[in-house]
Structure formats: structure tokens, C-alpha cells
Amino acid sequence: MAKMQLTDEEKASLIEAINKGMEPGPELLPKLFPAMAEKFDVQALDRAKIPTLEYAGKRSKAAILAEAHAGIGAAPLQTVRCLGETNNGEWKNLIVQGDNLQFLKTCYRNVDPLIKDKVKGKVKLIYIDPPFATKSDFQSKEGVTSYSDKIESAEFIESLRERFIFMREFLTEDGVIYLHLDTKKSHYMKVVMDDVFGDSNFRNEIIWQRTSARSDSKTYNHIHDVIFLYTKSDIWTWNKQYTEYNAEYVDNFYRYRDPDGRVFRVSDLTAAGTRKGSSGMPWRGIDPAVKGNHWKYKIEKLDQLDSEGRIYWPQKEGGIPGYKRYLDEMPGTALQSIWTDISPVAFQSIERADYPTQKPEALLERITLASSNPGDLVMDIFGGSGTTAAVAEKLGRRWITCDFGKHAIYTMQRRLLRIGKSKALLEEKDEAGKVIVKKGDPYKKAVKPFCVVSAGAYDFSHVMDLRRHKDKYIDFVLALFGLIRDDEKARKFKLANIYAVLDNHPVEVYPIWDDEFLRQVRVDEAYFRGILTQAGSRLKGEYFIITPESCTNVGDTTLKNQEGKDVRFLIKPFPYKVLEDVSRNFVLCEQPGSQANVNNLVTSTAFYFNDDIRIAAVRMDKGLRLTGFETKILDKQGNKFEGLSGLAMLLIDLDYEPDKPFDMDRTVFASDIAEDGSVVIDKLTESVGVIAIDRHGNESKPYRLE
């Protein structure tokens, strides 16, 4: 009998399927039944489940998850700054700067201490509003260009599909996901989501009328977006939402008014059929049994309602009293799938964040209230202006949001730091039931503690600070290579600074925490021979050394051990970049240099280390002028960027205070900076802070403009 050859990931997938009473994936069939492997047409079996899209570059779900499980593309999360204090172990909301696919892989791997056992399978609501992949410029209502889509067709579809596969793993069993798109690619994505989440878990297609009617098209004008609602299973969180009654309905049904002005309609107090009990007896001289009816309430309840003024007594003699249903006590009309009552963010709106693709809080409020409860975790991996995070914050939910652009990160940070000046979304009452905050009043509360963390783009100085914490440093650099510290396996080599194994070969983390050692030792051939002397014949094959490039000037080297066996010393430079031969493919993604590229969809995994950049500036009559700009980044040809060509944007804080978080008021993109470095800024204050962002996402320390 042929032996099954299953990986650990495939075994786990099989066990999960059995526990859930589901069929194993078709990709496992040839391995489960190797003797019949040739008879299986896996692709045909896969297609037979539900209609799917076939396109170039489409990968299996198993391959995508297995890659992340192995740590490929995952990246350790590095805290950049925390705003607000919490007790150890308490949840902190997260703004994640980095490629969202990379972050999703990190969450799926579930080893990073910041999110371990806190995200995977714990997210109640996911809302995503990705770029729409139409190869065209999108504009706000005011005509400001918001973004140009970067990719289209199959590449766009697969990029979102990969993310759906991971996001499904993060949802609770009763979790839901909303996908917000325009009409151009929504039909493709419906099929893809059917594939990932199951067509039986499709719950609704919501039509949001995002703008009013226009007459500037040769065909029917596009005035709506599409929002798909899917669940993870056949149970899901659902809190019914209501809209206000329209004027016609109120006029037709709420025709009565109390002396105090309260409007009400009258509903029947009787029901069909006679009863022997209290509800079947005459009340106030009226016997419902005459017409074969009974009272809906007992006599005692009717007396109470009358004393409370809730009974309507008709003026017509012999008329049957009714129950007053006040308009201000009714929830409204149950919400339907076409939403015409939510407008885009107005130009003068208090919630406006000067982010052209910003969605209104009312839209996310409705979604969040319907599909989550206070304390639940909400996720948005295309954070943009931070609407999802702001709404989740004000509705008492925990949240995670993510974006690649520094402009978006600082926009979200600013919005949350100023959340007390925004509008409250919920009515609040004191213990006596008195309303103390009306919906629409100033929110007034400070934001709960949150952290800005980096996923794949790290601040060099922060990494080097880890030198003071040996164990944290070791764990961090190992994680860069998809490795976890394993002292038990490492101990068998009986060599210093071995903390993990890679393909059963030792991995050394060079001891940069030991300053005395660094002054005397460098990684060179003599260093390798010293290791061989200590190891004797125990060492053979490969020996990995993770080290800063500044500590070595040699590359991979092969030497003989005492038995004449080859030992290949493989240098893994750190922290400048991680080599491709660690099964990673790195593409350096650029920060937007203009408003037109703010929301470019990032499909490649970015992984690099931020280096300090320097700026100098002086005041001008109508703004400022950059007099100095220095960055170490190189272009694709390996050349330094000259002048201001490496600059992506300037962030301006008009009331900068060095001891407080940088509170961005303005973003000036490189495209708006003159060749001589001059920037026009109206109403430049006396206390101005400036941060420069280069094209690779490195940022300068805040520069105070004198």
C-alpha cells in the first residue's frame, strides 16, 4: 500500500475538515488516495463545487496559507509609538503601517507577541474599501483627484482574493465581512467571494447612493457603490437597524396629536376570539365579546395604561378605545438594501479629514451597529482616512486599521487624537435616565490608548535600541527570517549564540549587544575557523550567521571541518535587508509623491529598514523653503536621489509641541513643492513642526521651524 505524504499544514487542514464534518479540499485527494492519484482531476473537482473564476496567477488556498504559516511574507510588528497608557496585557487598538497582505500573513502565523491569540479567529466585523482597479483617476465631490488605480483585471482580483482567504481565518464563527466596491469590478468579486466564503454565506448586496443625480453622461449616470455582505457561517451577528419614516407615511398613519404636541397613531386594543379570564370581561362599560373579541391586556393593565394617558377614547359613542403608539417611540422602518439617506462627506463637514476617498461616518456607523456589539474587534485593512477606526472608537468597539502610506497613517492618528471635537454617534443617559449627550453633540471623550506599529518597514534606530534587550533583539531578528527561538534544538550544537535551526542547521545571532566583543571581533574567515575549532566534527553542512553588514566584509564561505567535510558559512546581513534566498521576494514600494497616488493598491510585500533623513527649512512670506534635504535611499538603478527627487511629502503641524505627538495639519506632496524647495502655506503659525517623508517611507525627526 502506498504511503500518504502529507505536510503538517495539510494534516492540520484535514483534521479541521473532519472536525467540522466537511469534505477535504480536492488538492488533498491525490495524497489521501495515492494509488488512485492519476484518476483525480483536481481542477475539475475544484470547479465543480461552485462557479469560480479561472485566471493567470490564481493560486490554491492551501498554498497561500501554507506560505504564511511558514513565515514567508510575515513580518514582526514593531511598535513605533503608543498614545495613552494601559495596564500590561490590556488590549491596545492598532494603526498598522505597512503592506496589508504582509500584516495579514503575520496575524495568520500568530506568533508575534503583539497580536498572538488576539486577532486570529477573534474579529467580529471586517469592512474593506479597496481601490477599484479601473485604471482611471477618481475624484472627490469637489473635484480633487483622490487616486489612480494601480492594477486591474486578474492581478487585482487575485490580490483581493489572497486577502479574503486570510481575513476569513480571522473572523469569529459569527463574524461578517463587508466589501465596498464600485460597479466596474463588483461582478467579478462576487464570484470570488462566493469561492472563498461560500455562496451560501452571501447575505446581501447593498446599494449605496453616494451622490445625487447628474446629467453629464452619454448613458445612465453612475451614482452608487456596491457593498457585499458575507458571513463566515450560517450564524452571524445581526442587530436590526431602522430608518426614519418618510413624510408620506407619517401623514397617513400618525394623524393624532396630544395636547402637548406628541404625534401618535391608534392601534387596536382587542384581538379575535373570546376569553374567560380578565381579558374577556367588560371594561369601562365596553364588552369586547359582543363582537367575538377579547382585550389584548388584562383589566389591571388596561387601567394602568389609561392612567398613563396611553388610551385613546373615540368621541363617537360606542367606539372601541385604542392604544396610542407615539411616533417618537417607534424605531422607524426596518432598513432595506438600498441606502439613499447617507450623503458623502461635505466640504465643510466637521468630520472631513481632507482625504478625498473618505467615507462618511454615517455609513460605517450603520454597518458597525448592525454587525457588531460593544467590545467586539473591528478590522479595516485599507484604513485611508480612518473612518472605520473613528466610528469603532465612538461606538465602543476595539479596532485594527492598516495602510501603507505615511500620509494615511498620520491622517488617522490626527483624526483619533482630535476625536473629542467630533460628533457623538450615540445618545448617552445618566443613571437616572436623563439624556446627557445627544447624537450629534460634541463627543468630548479622549481616544482610548492606541499604538502605531510597523509591519515590514522598520525604524532603524528602534531596531538598534533592541540591543539593550538581548532576548527581544534575538527574537526580532530571528522572526525576520521566519524563525522562532528554539533553545532545545540549538543546545545540541554546543556553540555560543546559537538560538534556532534552519533546515536542521544552526542559526547564530551575532552578539551586537556585547560591546566588548564587537571591539575585538569581526565576522571574517578567522571567525569562521574559530567556530570550526570549537565545534570539531559536530559541525557539517551549513552554518547561518545573522549579522549587521557593518560587522563583516565577507560573503558566504566554505571551509573544511576536522574530518575534511565541507561547512558552508552563510551570512544573513541584518538589519539593512533580508536576502531573497530566505524564501522571500521583496519589492520596495514607494510612498505617494502626489495626491493622485494616495491610495494606490500595494500588491507586493515591502520589507526594508528606515534610515534617518535630514531636513532644514526657513520661513518665507507665504510659507517655507527647504534649504536642506538628505536621504540615503537609492533608486532602482542603485543611484542616490539628487536634490529633492527622493522626497515624497512634507507633513506640517501648525501648533507643534516637541513633547506632544506630532499632529499633522497639512500634507504637502512633492508634486506641489517648487524646484527651489519653496512651499506655499497660508496662515503659517509661529509654532510649526515639519516631518519629511522620502519615497521609501523613511521619515525625518520633527523639525521645528524657527
Short mmCIF file of all heavy atoms in Angstrom, two decimals, residues 76 86 106 127 193 246 264 320 374 429 477 591 695:
data_model
loop_
_atom_site.label_atom_id
_atom_site.label_comp_id
_atom_site.label_asym_id
_atom_site.label_seq_id
_atom_site.Cartn_x
_atom_site.Cartn_y
_atom_site.Cartn_z
N PRO A 76 7.69 40.70 11.71
CA PRO A 76 7.46 41.09 13.09
C PRO A 76 6.90 42.50 13.19
O PRO A 76 7.26 43.38 12.41
CB PRO A 76 8.86 41.01 13.72
CG PRO A 76 9.71 40.35 12.75
CD PRO A 76 9.10 40.43 11.42
N THR A 86 -1.96 51.86 29.17
CA THR A 86 -2.81 50.76 29.60
C THR A 86 -2.02 49.86 30.52
O THR A 86 -0.79 49.91 30.57
CB THR A 86 -3.32 49.92 28.41
OG1 THR A 86 -2.19 49.33 27.73
CG2 THR A 86 -4.12 50.77 27.43
N THR A 106 1.26 37.96 8.95
CA THR A 106 1.77 37.99 10.32
C THR A 106 0.70 37.57 11.31
O THR A 106 0.95 36.79 12.23
CB THR A 106 2.30 39.39 10.65
OG1 THR A 106 3.33 39.75 9.73
CG2 THR A 106 2.85 39.45 12.07
N TYR A 127 -14.54 45.47 7.49
CA TYR A 127 -15.00 46.34 6.41
C TYR A 127 -13.79 46.73 5.59
O TYR A 127 -12.77 47.16 6.15
CB TYR A 127 -15.68 47.59 6.97
CG TYR A 127 -15.91 48.67 5.92
CD1 TYR A 127 -17.05 48.67 5.13
CD2 TYR A 127 -14.98 49.69 5.73
CE1 TYR A 127 -17.26 49.66 4.17
CE2 TYR A 127 -15.18 50.68 4.78
CZ TYR A 127 -16.33 50.66 4.00
OH TYR A 127 -16.52 51.63 3.04
N MET A 193 -15.77 36.03 -3.89
CA MET A 193 -16.21 35.90 -2.50
C MET A 193 -17.07 34.66 -2.31
O MET A 193 -17.03 34.02 -1.25
CB MET A 193 -16.95 37.15 -2.06
CG MET A 193 -16.06 38.39 -1.99
SD MET A 193 -16.81 39.79 -1.14
CE MET A 193 -16.61 39.33 0.59
N ASN A 246 -40.84 58.06 6.29
CA ASN A 246 -40.92 59.19 5.38
C ASN A 246 -42.17 60.03 5.69
O ASN A 246 -43.09 59.60 6.40
CB ASN A 246 -40.91 58.74 3.92
CG ASN A 246 -42.08 57.81 3.57
OD1 ASN A 246 -43.23 58.07 3.94
ND2 ASN A 246 -41.79 56.75 2.81
N PHE A 264 -49.25 60.66 17.43
CA PHE A 264 -49.43 59.22 17.62
C PHE A 264 -50.41 58.66 16.61
O PHE A 264 -51.16 59.40 15.96
CB PHE A 264 -49.90 58.91 19.04
CG PHE A 264 -51.27 59.45 19.39
CD1 PHE A 264 -52.41 58.69 19.18
CD2 PHE A 264 -51.41 60.72 19.94
CE1 PHE A 264 -53.68 59.19 19.51
CE2 PHE A 264 -52.66 61.23 20.25
CZ PHE A 264 -53.80 60.46 20.05
N ILE A 320 -64.71 51.81 20.12
CA ILE A 320 -63.78 50.98 20.88
C ILE A 320 -62.50 51.77 21.13
O ILE A 320 -61.93 52.33 20.19
CB ILE A 320 -63.45 49.67 20.14
CG1 ILE A 320 -64.74 48.90 19.83
CG2 ILE A 320 -62.49 48.81 20.95
CD1 ILE A 320 -65.48 48.44 21.08
N PRO A 374 -20.74 46.24 21.39
CA PRO A 374 -19.67 46.88 22.16
C PRO A 374 -18.63 45.87 22.65
O PRO A 374 -18.98 44.79 23.13
CB PRO A 374 -20.42 47.53 23.32
CG PRO A 374 -21.78 47.83 22.76
CD PRO A 374 -22.08 46.67 21.84
N LYS A 429 -27.15 58.51 28.47
CA LYS A 429 -28.02 58.88 29.59
C LYS A 429 -27.28 58.64 30.89
O LYS A 429 -26.39 57.80 30.99
CB LYS A 429 -29.31 58.07 29.57
CG LYS A 429 -30.16 58.28 28.31
CD LYS A 429 -31.43 57.43 28.35
CE LYS A 429 -32.28 57.64 27.10
NZ LYS A 429 -33.50 56.80 27.12
N VAL A 477 15.17 39.50 15.26
CA VAL A 477 15.94 39.20 14.05
C VAL A 477 15.65 37.79 13.56
O VAL A 477 15.66 37.54 12.35
CB VAL A 477 17.44 39.43 14.26
CG1 VAL A 477 17.72 40.88 14.57
CG2 VAL A 477 18.02 38.54 15.33
N GLN A 591 6.24 55.59 -1.39
CA GLN A 591 5.22 56.47 -0.87
C GLN A 591 4.75 57.41 -1.97
O GLN A 591 5.52 57.74 -2.88
CB GLN A 591 5.76 57.28 0.30
CG GLN A 591 6.16 56.44 1.50
CD GLN A 591 4.95 55.86 2.21
OE1 GLN A 591 3.96 56.53 2.48
NE2 GLN A 591 5.02 54.56 2.51
N ARG A 695 10.76 58.75 -0.47
CA ARG A 695 9.98 57.88 -1.34
C ARG A 695 9.89 56.45 -0.85
O ARG A 695 9.07 55.66 -1.31
CB ARG A 695 10.55 57.95 -2.76
CG ARG A 695 10.30 59.31 -3.41
CD ARG A 695 11.08 59.50 -4.69
NE ARG A 695 10.65 58.55 -5.72
CZ ARG A 695 11.03 58.60 -6.98
NH1 ARG A 695 11.81 59.61 -7.39
NH2 ARG A 695 10.62 57.70 -7.85
#
